[in-house]
Amino acid sequence: MRRRSVTLLGLAGLLALPLTVLPQAQAADGLVSGGKAVTASSVETSAFGPGLAVDGNTATRWASAEGVDPQWIRIDLGANHTISRVKLDWEAAYGKAYRIQTSTDGTNWTDVYSTTAGDGATDDLTVSGSGRYVRMYGTGRGTPYGYSLWEFEVYGAPTGTGGGGGGPAVPFGSHLKPYAAGILKPSGTQSALDQKVVDYYNRWKAAFVRQNCGNGWYQVISPDADHPYVAEAQGYGMVVTATMAGADPDAKKIFDGLVKWKIDHPSSVNPNLLAAEQDTACKSVNGGDGATDGDMDVAYGLLLADRQWGSTGTYNYKDLALKHIAAIKKDEVNATTKLLKLGDWSSSGDQYYYITRTSDWMADHFRAFRAASGDTTWDAVRNAHQTQISRLQSTYASGTGLLPDFVVDTDTTPRPAPGQVLEDPNDGAYWWNACRTPWRIGDDAVTSGDATSLAAARKVNGWIKTKTGGDPNKIAVGYKLNGTQISSGSEAAFFAPFAVAAMTDPGSQAWLDALWSKMLATPIDTSSYFSASIQLQVMITASGNHWVP
């Protein structure tokens, strides 16, 4: 890289007319450009790509081709925003004549600022405009080189409040829903964390999101499950796409395709729930009944969508959510114990009626269901599950805090499954279901600050950090509740969830950073929707982007 001449910049500054820069915006609008998709008219070399202008790192930059006008760099905010401030941190190769422009469609542009007397350094501009796209359009270079920006920052707010303005109300990266006090995030700039999530999401989407069998459907494929499509995967997809709105311009389109899939594949037991499994012809199989884990996330995803886009479009998300929540209460909550059943197919008198799966125990979902429905039953349901988490940890895993895949005898004295009760001889161990519990418990802890959830997450975090000596590569595939390793290897489904638990402990910054680095260094497993979807959602939480509708 050639260094630009400082004397050249100084000469340009002397020759330039005074730059008219308005005072810095005083509004509380936040940074909305961090980690967003960026394109440019050109790059000097591949080492100076446009994304480097929104990565939050003032040591990296975008640089255009040299000696050519005009040039531009464009940020896609993912949805319409009001724009109140633009900040340009120029490298020595600056723009003398340039415009700041906004657009709703990326084709038709409106000037919100213009100058022919730029002098480089930092331009902190108060503007008034709106659009999904913001660009710097340079028409006159201040040096013989090109245009180069260390950082291109846009400040504003989404125009949508849930559908009315067309954009998501809580766009990804907006961080409008802060976590509880004292919660950690991985080290690094916020925009850099957000960008890593967007990158992983794009790989996840390419690997697993499909439009098979027509009918306007979108699905998340499950190559590692018993069937090509399972409710759990669709639930993950709905939560993820609603959360990524603002980073993915197709989020609503994908979400609506997933909604259509849900509507067109009703449970045979309760048509307001989702049938658990579909074959290659996209037809429900194995009785077509529902699975609690998938239904929990479908309902939660619909609530997110209602907050993001409102419910006046093609689908009434709120109405669908309330019907789904009521159906979960009717057919997937044990009326006696207030604990979740395995699915709507289990009924009083059968051998599974007093069995529950710990990975379904999503306290933040229960809070959202309570808020949306106004039904205090969900408070009782949440309390019942949190009571069992604490009891199981203290009684059966006092040294580890680990939970078993399945809990039996919930009508008398709930205890870990004594052996295979549904899936595997390790049904009573920390295995392929319970591996998600540090994430599920942690999601409630970081968003609500609830003392019970915090204590449960911190217990398991303290154990795994000590067990591995702070090395995420030593996290095994499965443990007995006493901490004895079951299997060797390294799986994202097992190591990633511990990152959310680590966020709850103020003394675990280095451990959290190590877990984050482990996730970034692990290639996405395109053969496992399970591991990849879990890691993606953990990264969403770890970066500060999980929120409760």
Side-chain angles (χ1 to χ4, degrees):
M1 181 186 80
R2 295 197 307 278
R3 293 304 305 163
R4 310 306 195 196
S5 168
V6 175
T7 55
L8 179 63
L9 176 61
L11 178 60
L14 289 171
L15 295 176
L17 294 173
L19 175 63
T20 303
V21 179
L22 299 174
Q24 178 176 319
Q26 297 301 310
D29 285 347
L31 178 69
V32 294
S33 53
K36 292 297 192 292
V38 188
T39 53
S41 53
S42 66
V43 294
E44 180 182 343
T45 71
S46 60
F48 303 115
L52 298 175
V54 296
D55 65 353
N57 185 347
T58 56
T60 62
R61 62 188 176 93
W62 163 70
S64 74
E66 297 184 342
V68 180
D69 289 311
Q71 299 286 346
W72 53 264
I73 178 171
R74 183 187 81 174
I75 301 173
D76 179 358
L77 300 176
N80 284 333
H81 284 63
T82 56
I83 310 301
S84 59
R85 177 186 173 198
V86 172
K87 185 177 179 182
L88 304 173
D89 184 3
W90 294 102
E91 197 254 355
Y94 68 97
K96 180 178 180 182
Y98 67 88
R99 307 170 202 159
I100 301 298
Q101 300 176 313
T102 62
S103 172
T104 58
D105 57 9
T107 301
N108 302 294
W109 295 91
T110 300
D111 291 353
V112 295
Y113 178 81
S114 179
T115 185
T116 58
D119 61 358
T122 299
D123 293 341
D124 199 342
L125 314 170
T126 294
V127 300
S128 179
S130 64
R132 169 175 168 170
Y133 303 90
V134 181
R135 74 175 179 180
M136 187 287 298
Y137 187 80
T139 57
R141 290 163 290 117
T143 75
Y145 301 105
Y147 297 82
S148 184
L149 286 166
W150 295 110
E151 286 295 304
F152 180 6
E153 296 180 349
V154 177
Y155 293 79
T159 56
T161 57
V170 189
F172 179 85
S174 62
H175 305 283
L176 296 174
K177 304 275 191 173
Y179 287 168
I183 297 301
L184 302 179
K185 283 191 284 189
S187 298
T189 64
Q190 183 63 69
S191 60
L193 297 178
D194 292 346
Q195 185 60 50
K196 292 300 184 184
V197 181
V198 173
D199 292 345
Y200 195 88
Y201 166 75
N202 287 330
R203 294 197 294 274
W204 173 87
K205 178 181 167 184
F208 303 109
V209 177
R210 296 289 184 271
Q211 279 187 289
N212 294 336
C213 304
N215 291 319
W217 293 331
Y218 271 91
Q219 318 94 344
V220 176
I221 60 170
S222 48
D224 47 328
D226 291 339
H227 297 278
Y229 315 102
V230 294
E232 178 185 77
Q234 313 321 315
Y236 287 162
M238 292 175 78
V239 172
V240 165
T241 51
T243 303
M244 297 303 296
D248 181 358
D250 293 327
K252 189 174 187 297
K253 179 172 70 175
I254 296 170
F255 188 89
D256 282 354
L258 290 165
V259 172
K260 191 171 193 306
W261 176 270
K262 166 222 160 0
I263 292 171
D264 293 346
H265 295 85
S267 166
S268 58
V269 176
N270 189 321
N272 286 317
L273 299 175
L274 170 62
E277 300 165 322
Q278 289 77 37
D279 61 15
T280 54
C282 300
K283 294 188 180 300
S284 296
V285 293
N286 284 353
D289 41 40
T292 301
D293 50 2
D295 284 321
M296 288 284 292
D297 274 336
V298 168
Y300 193 81
L302 287 164
L303 292 177
L304 289 172
D306 173 62
R307 285 296 309 277
Q308 289 286 42
W309 302 299
S311 290
T312 60
T314 304
Y315 298 108
N316 186 330
Y317 304 129
K318 185 66 173 291
D319 182 65
L320 288 169
L322 291 175
K323 288 177 178 175
H324 213 97
I325 291 166
I328 293 172
K329 176 185 172 181
K330 177 179 180 292
D331 286 313
E332 292 180 335
V333 173
N334 187 301
T336 302
T337 67
K338 296 294 188 288
L339 298 175
L340 290 170
K341 301 191 299 177
L342 301 174
D344 61 1
W345 48 268
S346 176
S347 58
S348 180
D350 71 33
Q351 62 180 312
Y352 302 103
Y353 191 60
Y354 291 106
I355 299 177
T356 183
R357 180 192 291 107
T358 61
S359 53
D360 299 352
W361 299 0
M362 310 170 198
D364 60 340
H365 289 40
F366 298 142
R367 292 184 197 277
F369 297 172
R370 166 68 170 89
S373 67
D375 186 348
T376 57
T377 299
W378 291 109
D379 292 332
V381 169
R382 175 174 55 81
N383 288 332
H385 288 88
Q386 290 186 297
T387 296
Q388 288 306 321
I389 290 171
S390 300
R391 184 181 162 278
L392 288 163
Q393 284 186 325
S394 62
T395 305
Y396 297 99
S398 59
T400 65
L402 296 173
L403 297 180
D405 273 12
F406 296 94
V407 177
V408 301
D409 297 340
T410 60
D411 57 329
T412 54
T413 304
R415 61 190 177 98
Q420 184 168 349
V421 297
L422 189 71
E423 295 181 358
D424 189 277
N426 288 313
D427 278 354
Y430 182 84
W431 196 226
W432 284 96
N433 287 288
C435 63
R436 294 170 283 186
T437 56
W439 154 48
R440 293 301 197 184
I441 295 169
D443 265 359
D444 185 62
V446 303
T447 53
S448 73
D450 179 87
T452 302
S453 292
L454 283 168
R458 287 168 177 166
K459 187 171 184 63
V460 72
N461 174 68
W463 169 75
I464 191 64
K465 184 169 64 168
T466 300
K467 174 79 172 178
T468 60
D471 182 358
N473 295 306
K474 294 181 180 178
I475 295 174
V477 176
Y479 294 94
K480 300 296 185 181
L481 298 190
N482 65 4
T484 302
Q485 176 178 320
I486 295 176
S487 182
S488 60
S490 181
E491 284 280 350
F494 282 87
F495 65 73
F498 286 118
V500 185
M503 297 171 68
T504 67
D505 174 24
S508 288
Q509 186 67 59
W511 171 233
L512 174 59
D513 290 345
L515 286 160
W516 180 257
S517 296
K518 169 76 171 172
M519 287 189 281
L520 298 185
T522 302
I524 192 167
D525 183 354
T526 58
S527 69
S528 177
Y529 89 94
F530 188 75
S531 281
S533 299
I534 290 170
Q535 175 164 323
L536 172 57
Q537 290 173 94
V538 166
M539 291 177 69
I540 287 170
T541 299
S543 63
N545 286 289
H546 176 60
W547 53 280
V548 181

